[in-house]
Amino acid sequence: MRTNKIFIGGKWVNSSSGKTFESFNPANGRSLGKFPQGNKSDVDNAVRAAWKAYPGWSQTPAPERAEILFTVRDLLKQNKKELAKCITMEMGKVLAESEGDVQEAIDVFEYMAGEGRRLFGHTTPSELPDKFCMTLRVPVGVFGVITPWNFPFALPAWKIAPALICGNTVVFKPSSDTPLCGIRFVELLVKAGVPAGVVNLVTGSGKDVGTPIIRHENIRGISFTGSRNTGKFIAENAGLKKVGLELGGKNGIIVMDDADLDLAVDGAVWGGFGTTGQRCTAASRVIVHKKVQKDFEKKFIARIKKLRLGSGLDSKVDVGPLVNESAVEKVQKYVGIGKKEGAGLLCGGKKLKGLFFEPTVFSDAKKGMTVAQEEIFGPVVTIIPVKNFREAIDVINSVDYGLSSSIFTRSIDNAFKAIQKIEAGITYINSSTTGAEVHLPFGGVKQTGNGTREAGMEGIDEFSETKTVYVDYSGRLQKAQDIEWGEK
Ligand code: NAD
């Protein structure tokens, strides 16, 4: 069995605890190897190594840093198939989606490498003569990067590519469900020429590695993606760091009475059951106009019945396993709650052998029901019927989260009103709730985060500070706001 190491200051080393944990293939329960259980002392070493590397990396011209990011892109491309297989084996989603995960990492490295020749600040006139004003982007320092398991290549890339192009150094903790992917990702960065200490990797649990990172007094920025509860804990414990939080969702698709129903069904099936419903942008609610509810449900269930479950490595499979035992228990718990609260079970509802769960649909749910409010993160879709557009907006906005949203309609009025009225960071028109492109900002409102955005130009903001510069070439001590002082 492969015993892996952590990566600190350019060297693969054992963790100081000497303890290990295993990662398993969720499709068949086979072990993928032993991984070091890091702890606070490993985090301390990683932070020291990151600061040691910081002066050299932050002073390297950004276009030169970009060359390394372009090489990462190329290596990801060359190894796409094999890396996708690693993702599927470690967290279960089907190969086509795992290839999409690697492709997203390729795209984001390419985009952020391009930022090496932009990293724009701006200039603006001064209120005083012979004075020049501008802003510059400067790095933050050492970043703690903590990621979940559902996009084990794309999400580290969304954070580490902009962190590096801005000149930061990084301590990276991948999810303890996907340590192997985390190691493969870092191996690739090293091969591309990322200098020693610029990216350090500590594997292990949230408690033993994540918490020391977020509380560390010498870490200046935290970039976290994961659940709302962990996000809240970070907000309360990170102190005065620059913190980016990308949290959960309870995303809704609105299907109006004038929608192309077949298209809406396509969107709901993909949004609800892609990645076995384990996406932050999963369409876990369908808010359907009563006039088309029955037609929609008939077509929706017919499509779901055709979905094939199994190992994501099998190209005929559509839906893989859940990631681990506790995910299965969570889905089971919510299915029980849905039944108890009186939502109608249209299909599914049962745990199958291993970590597989039947694609499940509740119908005739009310907006306040638990299955219509809480993130289940599994193959469960709740249908909520509504009588008009106004009620649809009221229902879609009735949750604490605000990540993604969608409306299927042929009415341009409904489409634009939805864009205006839905409280979410992302709104799709006539498409599903998932499908982010890396040159646009990604993130949510309300309890989905703390207002930061990843990817796109906005993705640079999280990983840089803005420095304001005034250059006075008047030869006098000019004072802003017309202040006259000490001149009488
Ligand atoms: P999680 O919060 O359990 O874990 C995420 C990461 O945080 C892991 O690396 C984990 O080890 C670490 N962690 C856990 N407890 C910690 C602690 N006390 N201190 C520091 N670190 C800690 O989430 P998960 O189950 O891995 O991922 C699923 C969640 O992620 C869902 O809620 C999903 O919606 C969300 N997600 C959000 C986005 C987004 O961009 N908004 C994208 C993907 C997933």
Side-chain angles (χ1 to χ4, degrees):
M1 189 189 289
R2 173 177 166 152
T3 301
N4 297 279
K5 301 199 171 194
I6 57 177
F7 190 67
I8 295 180
K11 292 197 179 79
W12 293 97
V13 294
N14 292 319
S15 77
S16 44
S17 75
K19 292 186 189 150
T20 56
F21 65 99
E22 282 181 66
S23 174
F24 297 95
N25 180 339
N28 57 24
R30 282 197 205 118
S31 175
L32 298 175
K34 287 189 176 168
F35 297 86
Q37 176 58 62
N39 61 17
K40 179 163 186 323
S41 137
D42 299 315
V43 171
D44 286 344
N45 291 338
V47 173
R48 265 194 296 275
W51 275 118
K52 195 166 166 219
Y54 181 72
W57 183 248
S58 57
Q59 283 157 35
T60 302
E64 214 179 291
R65 295 198 290 260
E67 287 305 317
I68 298 180
L69 269 66
F70 279 124
T71 309
V72 176
R73 173 203 60 185
D74 295 342
L75 290 172
L76 284 163
K77 268 189 186 169
Q78 285 160 24
N79 295 285
K80 182 172 169 180
K81 288 228 176 294
E82 187 248 318
L83 296 172
K85 205 171 154 198
C86 175
I87 294 174
T88 295
M89 281 188 352
E90 199 167 33
M91 59 66 68
K93 65 186 166 192
V94 299
L95 264 184
E97 290 187 55
S98 294
E99 283 180 22
D101 193 323
V102 182
Q103 186 58 46
E104 216 166 306
I106 293 168
D107 295 343
V108 88
F109 267 94
E110 178 171 280
Y111 181 86
M112 290 300 170
E115 277 299 317
R117 289 190 184 269
R118 289 187 292 268
L119 287 182
F120 294 135
H122 64 265
T123 61
T124 184
S126 167
E127 62 186 55
L128 294 163
D130 296 333
K131 194 172 171 190
F132 182 84
C133 308
M134 65 181 162
T135 66
L136 301 176
R137 285 191 185 274
V138 295
V140 179
V142 172
F143 250 90
V145 166
I146 302 179
T147 52
W149 47 267
N150 64 340
F151 282 87
F153 267 76
L155 287 178
W158 276 34
K159 296 172 183 305
I160 292 175
L164 295 184
I165 203 64
C166 290
N168 305 286
T169 56
V170 169
V171 176
F172 169 39
K173 187 202 102 58
S175 165
S176 37
D177 282 303
T178 50
L180 181 58
C181 288
I183 287 173
R184 299 307 313 276
F185 181 78
V186 170
E187 280 173 353
L188 219 111
L189 299 183
V190 175
K191 202 165 168 196
V194 171
V198 170
V199 175
N200 306 276
L201 167 84
V202 185
T203 51
S205 69
K207 188 169 134 285
D208 292 326
V209 181
T211 302
I213 289 177
I214 63 156
R215 290 200 172 131
H216 208 288
E217 56 188 18
N218 292 329
I219 286 185
R220 294 214 184 129
I222 298 287
S223 183
F224 171 80
T225 297
S227 64
R228 182 174 56 175
N229 282 350
T230 312
K232 276 188 179 165
F233 177 81
I234 292 175
E236 287 158 11
N237 286 275
L240 295 176
K241 297 185 178 70
K242 199 168 193 283
V243 177
L245 301 174
E246 303 292 335
L247 312 177
K250 187 70 184 176
N251 315 291
I253 290 182
I254 296 175
V255 182
M256 288 304 294
D257 51 345
D258 62 358
D260 174 337
L261 275 196
D262 292 317
L263 187 61
V265 166
D266 279 348
V269 173
W270 167 234
F273 303 105
T275 322
T276 321
Q278 303 170 110
R279 284 180 180 228
C280 52
T281 53
S284 52
R285 296 181 297 156
V286 177
I287 297 145
V288 61
H289 197 293
K290 278 183 177 158
K291 275 192 197 157
V292 294
Q293 182 188 357
K294 289 291 160 249
D295 281 355
F296 173 84
E297 286 179 355
K298 209 168 126 201
K299 287 170 188 269
F300 189 41
I301 300 302
R303 282 287 306 282
I304 292 167
K305 292 249 154 87
K306 288 196 188 132
L307 293 175
R308 287 152 302 188
L309 271 64
S311 161
L313 291 178
D314 177 347
S315 62
K316 292 192 208 79
V317 162
D318 304 299
V319 180
L322 284 158
V323 69
N324 57 30
E325 200 61 57
S326 71
V328 176
E329 281 165 19
K330 187 174 170 200
V331 173
Q332 261 181 321
K333 182 191 88 177
Y334 276 109
V335 168
I337 293 174
K339 285 186 194 160
K340 217 181 258 171
E341 287 186 341
L345 190 63
L346 276 193
C347 74
K350 280 200 219 74
K351 174 192 177 324
L352 303 168
K353 210 166 151 239
L355 301 180
F356 292 90
F357 203 97
E358 287 180 335
T360 299
V361 178
F362 281 114
S363 182
D364 289 325
K366 304 270 184 298
K367 71 173 179 185
M369 287 180 176
T370 310
V371 286
Q373 286 288 322
E374 294 185 13
E375 187 185 49
I376 300 173
F377 224 57
V380 182
V381 173
T382 300
I383 298 178
I384 308 156
V386 291
K387 55 183 184 306
N388 54 32
F389 178 79
R390 228 185 49 203
E391 193 186 354
I393 296 294
D394 173 55
V395 171
I396 204 164
N397 287 343
S398 68
V399 293
D400 291 335
Y401 295 105
L403 182 51
S404 188
S405 58
S406 136
I407 181 167
F408 285 86
T409 179
R410 288 191 174 98
S411 151
I412 196 157
D413 291 7
N414 282 343
F416 273 88
K417 280 183 191 155
I419 293 169
Q420 208 175 47
K421 290 181 188 297
I422 293 177
E423 295 172 339
I426 306 161
T427 296
Y428 291 88
I429 307 298
N430 291 325
S431 190
S432 192
T433 49
T434 103
E437 298 180 33
V438 305
H439 51 299
L440 283 102
F442 181 93
V445 302
K446 294 156 80 178
Q447 294 188 16
T448 288
N450 61 346
T452 50
R453 290 291 180 271
E454 291 192 331
M457 280 189 299
E458 288 80 353
I460 288 292
D461 294 338
E462 187 180 340
F463 297 94
S464 59
E465 300 279 16
T466 298
K467 171 170 278 192
T468 306
V469 181
Y470 299 99
V471 182
D472 193 316
Y473 51 96
S474 68
R476 290 168 287 135
L477 189 69
Q478 303 195 85
K479 300 180 198 75
Q481 288 84 42
D482 268 341
I483 295 173
E484 288 183 20
W485 181 85
E487 285 152 19
K488 289 176 207 111

